Amino acid sequence: MMYDQSRAQLPPDQSAARAQRRTSGPEPLLPAAERDEVVDRLRQAINTFADTPKEALEEAERAFDEATAHLANALAEQRRALRDGWQDRDPETHPDELRVALRQYRELTQRLLRA
């Protein structure tokens, strides 16, 4: 990613407003608080690497483990919600609802494969 000098010079409230307007696309798999926590831990690891490289790597590994655990939990919850939505539906009487569930599985799987 290239440095965008014009965006860097915007006041903080303007760049935040732009970020809030970007609503096209799927919701993130992890809630913002969980993502922020992992990003903060990773940033801490990066910032302390020069002074304590081994400890920084251990912290980066913990941040990675935390991110993967949060992601696994979020995916399991989405899977449960999807399955609950179609599992007891009759294909003869609810074909549209089943089609929507199939589309949701496809979209979620494609998001995972693009990551």
Side-chain angles (χ1 to χ4, degrees):
M1 175 183 250
M2 293 183 57
Y3 176 74
D4 185 349
Q5 184 176 7
S6 60
R7 187 175 4 163
Q9 293 174 349
L10 288 174
D13 59 333
Q14 282 188 8
S15 58
R18 282 187 182 173
Q20 290 174 350
R21 283 192 304 243
R22 287 187 218 155
T23 56
S24 64
E27 288 292 317
L29 292 172
L30 296 179
E34 291 178 6
R35 283 192 326 269
D36 292 347
E37 182 181 331
V38 171
V39 168
D40 287 345
R41 292 181 71 183
L42 189 56
R43 187 176 297 125
Q44 177 68 19
I46 291 167
N47 289 337
T48 61
F49 180 79
D51 296 327
T52 56
K54 185 173 181 182
E55 289 82 1
L57 289 169
E58 289 169 349
E59 180 63 19
E61 182 177 43
R62 286 190 295 272
F64 177 81
D65 290 344
E66 184 177 332
T68 57
H70 285 309
L71 184 58
N73 290 337
L75 291 170
E77 177 58 30
Q78 287 197 4
R79 180 187 182 279
R80 185 200 58 73
L82 278 171
R83 186 171 182 85
D84 287 350
W86 67 263
Q87 186 173 22
D88 296 329
R89 304 286 181 187
D90 181 357
E92 298 296 320
T93 59
H94 296 93
D96 291 335
E97 292 175 20
L98 297 176
R99 191 172 290 110
V100 168
L102 179 60
R103 186 177 8 224
Q104 290 172 326
Y105 276 116
R106 181 190 71 204
E107 290 169 0
L108 184 57
T109 302
Q110 288 174 336
R111 285 173 62 195
L112 287 171
L113 295 176
R114 282 191 302 260

